Amino acid sequence: MNSKDNYISIAKAIAIILMVVAHAMPPEKTIRFISLFHMPLFFFYSGYFLKISNNTESLKLFIKKRVKGLYLPYIKWSLFFLFTHNIFYRIGIYNSDYVYYNVHQSLYEIKDFILHAIMIIFTMDYHEQLLGGFWFLKTLFLSSLLVSFLMFTTRRFNKNTAIVLWIILWVTTILLRKSNISLPIFGRAYLITFGSLFYISGYLYHIYEEKLNLINRGCFFSLLLLILIAIYYPGSLSMTSLSASCVFIYPIFAFLGISFIAYISRILNNTQMRFSLYYIGQHTMPILALHMLAFKIVNLIKIWHYGMKPEQLAEFPVIQNNNEIYWILYAIVAICLPLLANKLYNMIIYKLNKKCLK
């Protein structure tokens, strides 16, 4: 196991844990703190191992890997949750009482399944409510393809070209957010260029990592700054809901958080916790796909504990009443259960394959 790969897997584990915690609805300041950098972390470390696509064959190979690693998992999980929609509705995981983003849940007819399946396959959109975090897969897929295409079209791509490209992406993101452009199929255009900016940031960081040595400098100063920003900064701090003025300064906040997480990851890489975190970092997909479904287990516990209405099982993403401590339980369950389900699934598939080979 490569030490550097391990430290990056730990950083990815921290990123997915922070995402689950944010969705578990902790105190507002905690959400604001996490939102400063947790999504940029995924784009950043996805771009860390980026290799230049400077010929047709390398570009084809890159696209193939992106399809296998992002598009196909999106399709698999989205179709699974689509075809279980009516089951979830009948057992109360969905109901018409709780609305999310102005969408009323109801039983699907055949035409609904067909329409949603078409949109899922051809636009990477219309995934189910329980896959709310899947916007990230589409954005990362498009952002990585955009960066690779820009590399391919630049005949002599190097680190200096990457810096120029970073600046262009930053300015473009600000302009796109200001004009609020939304494209058919692609969605909010600024998110794609914003994701590309953080993606290529990971590539640049990999090149200059030893020289920058950000990991050993000022990390606790970064933490203090992030806490103060989360408490006092007046605007929205989520990557998906920034104003044009916030887009201008948000990368600074994100890089403070990324440098802090990198520092913490290197420390944890020298502890016994590294094995558990490495496992989480290598299995982020089942957590991303299943954590909101796992929240329903804790919803049931809260309904029983506080005598709430059974209909509140459908409250999304969690039951927010009496959540001062419960968000911790939500987060623990939503990390552990998907990993357990994934482990059991792999064991079953392994045994079935073994029987077929006999």
Side-chain angles (χ1 to χ4, degrees):
M1 184 185 298
N2 185 287
S3 178
K4 181 173 285 189
D5 290 354
N6 195 24
Y7 122 70
I8 291 171
S9 290
I10 289 172
K12 289 181 179 179
I14 294 173
I16 198 71
I17 291 169
L18 289 175
M19 182 209 70
V20 172
V21 169
H23 288 167
M25 304 304 291
E28 181 186 356
K29 294 296 188 293
T30 302
I31 297 176
R32 284 172 62 84
F33 174 79
I34 292 171
S35 297
L36 284 168
F37 60 88
H38 81 293
M39 292 316 300
L41 261 174
F42 286 108
F43 291 95
F44 184 89
Y45 281 113
S46 293
Y48 184 90
F49 293 112
L50 175 65
K51 294 181 179 179
I52 297 174
S53 301
N54 53 10
N55 58 63
T56 304
E57 288 305 314
S58 62
L59 181 62
K60 286 181 180 178
L61 181 60
F62 179 82
I63 293 173
K64 184 178 180 180
K65 287 182 178 179
R66 294 289 87 183
V67 168
K68 184 178 179 181
L70 295 172
Y71 175 76
L72 292 181
Y74 177 92
I75 300 302
K76 178 186 75 172
W77 286 108
S78 295
L79 290 179
F80 170 78
F81 274 85
L82 171 63
F83 294 127
T84 53
H85 173 92
N86 283 358
I87 296 173
F88 289 151
Y89 189 90
R90 293 184 188 281
I91 64 177
I93 287 177
Y94 297 135
N95 65 43
S96 58
D97 294 333
Y98 291 94
V99 181
Y100 186 71
Y101 280 112
N102 297 318
V103 176
H104 287 269
Q105 296 292 342
S106 62
L107 288 170
Y108 286 169
E109 299 178 1
I110 296 296
K111 63 179 181 180
D112 298 313
F113 285 112
I114 295 172
L115 175 62
H116 283 227
I118 290 172
M119 296 301 289
I120 285 168
I121 292 169
F122 292 104
T123 71
M124 293 185 75
D125 208 345
Y126 276 68
H127 49 260
E128 290 293 293
Q129 178 177 296
L130 287 172
L131 292 175
F134 264 38
W135 69 268
F136 161 74
L137 292 183
K138 177 179 180 178
T139 306
L140 179 58
F141 181 66
L142 294 174
S143 297
S144 59
L145 291 184
L146 175 60
V147 171
S148 185
F149 176 75
L150 291 171
M151 286 181 168
F152 177 74
T153 54
T154 305
R155 290 181 179 274
R156 294 183 178 179
F157 192 89
N158 54 41
K159 56 189 178 184
N160 294 326
T161 313
I163 293 171
V164 173
L165 179 58
W166 190 97
I167 296 170
I168 292 172
L169 286 168
W170 189 26
V171 174
T172 303
T173 300
I174 294 169
L175 294 175
L176 288 173
R177 182 64 188 93
K178 191 172 184 180
S179 56
N180 201 28
I181 294 175
S182 185
L183 302 173
I185 298 178
F186 296 103
R188 289 174 289 178
Y190 93 91
L191 275 179
I192 299 170
T193 55
F194 215 11
S196 300
L197 181 150
F198 291 116
Y199 191 82
I200 205 167
S201 297
Y203 168 77
L204 286 169
Y205 178 75
H206 194 177
I207 294 173
Y208 292 105
E209 185 171 5
E210 297 303 325
K211 292 182 180 179
L212 290 173
N213 200 21
L214 291 175
I215 312 194
N216 296 320
R217 298 179 186 173
C219 81
F220 290 107
F221 174 72
S222 298
L223 176 61
L224 178 60
L225 259 180
L226 287 168
I227 292 172
L228 292 174
I229 291 166
I231 294 173
Y232 295 110
Y233 193 81
S236 171
L237 298 174
S238 172
M239 183 177 172
T240 57
S241 59
L242 293 170
S243 65
S245 58
C246 287
V247 168
F248 178 79
I249 197 171
Y250 183 79
I252 299 173
F253 302 160
F255 294 136
L256 286 172
I258 289 168
S259 65
F260 176 72
I261 296 302
Y263 176 80
I264 295 299
S265 299
R266 285 184 178 255
I267 291 176
L268 292 172
N269 196 25
N270 295 315
T271 69
Q272 289 300 312
M273 289 181 64
R274 69 184 185 274
F275 300 109
S276 297
L277 290 170
Y278 183 78
Y279 186 82
I280 294 172
Q282 292 296 308
H283 296 84
T284 57
M285 187 61 72
I287 297 174
L288 178 65
L290 295 173
H291 73 281
M292 288 187 176
L293 181 60
F295 283 161
K296 300 303 179 182
I297 302 297
V298 185
N299 276 6
L300 285 172
I301 295 172
K302 287 184 78 172
I303 289 169
W304 168 78
H305 185 210
Y306 293 106
M308 297 175 174
K309 297 184 298 182
E311 291 80 7
Q312 287 187 261
L313 175 63
E315 192 168 339
F316 186 84
V318 300
I319 298 175
Q320 297 187 34
N321 292 341
N322 304 306
N323 208 42
E324 293 80 6
I325 299 296
Y326 261 91
W327 66 268
I328 299 174
L329 181 60
Y330 275 115
I332 293 171
V333 170
I335 292 164
C336 295
L337 278 187
L339 292 175
L340 177 60
N342 183 67
K343 186 75 172 178
L344 291 173
Y345 172 81
N346 288 334
M347 286 174 60
I348 292 169
I349 295 299
Y350 174 77
K351 289 182 178 179
L352 288 174
N353 289 336
K354 200 171 181 180
K355 285 183 178 179
C356 291
L357 291 173
K358 288 183 178 180

